[in-house]
Amino acid sequence: MTSITDHLGEIRTRITRAAAHAGRAAEAVTLVAVSKGHDLANIQEAWAAGVTDFGENYLHEAMPKISAGHRDMQWHFIGRIQSNKTRDIAANFAWAQTV
């Protein structure tokens, strides 16, 4: 089984190639790891491998992860937002990315 760290290495290589092809610096690209369905141990492994931004689309699943995670993690709410959850999303996520 391939580890999260190995997968991240492959993804970063692809980002570097794509950025170079587009004439951009790879450092200008933010990798947002979608942590939906992953437990805190996997998120912490990704954090240890240098991932700082994590995406979630279920508020109830994200809250325990946000509370237990590192304070410097950047959390992105991705997907549809229900109007009754806007206050909690605004209070707990650095970004809301939705259509």
Side-chain angles (χ1 to χ4, degrees), residues 35-95:
S35 51
K36 171 187 171 184
H38 290 277
D39 61 20
L40 190 57
N42 288 339
I43 294 168
Q44 289 172 334
E45 182 181 347
W47 171 260
V51 176
T52 57
D53 292 67
F54 296 88
E56 289 280 344
N57 68 332
Y58 292 122
L59 181 63
H60 67 277
E61 185 180 329
M63 293 310 298
K65 296 174 185 179
I66 292 170
S67 297
H70 194 278
R71 66 180 180 88
D72 290 334
M73 289 176 172
Q74 291 286 307
W75 290 93
H76 300 242
F77 190 86
I78 54 177
R80 289 193 147 150
I81 297 177
Q82 295 174 333
S83 60
N84 64 329
K85 296 183 180 174
T86 55
R87 184 180 312 255
D88 289 332
I89 290 169
N92 292 286
F93 290 83
W95 299 92

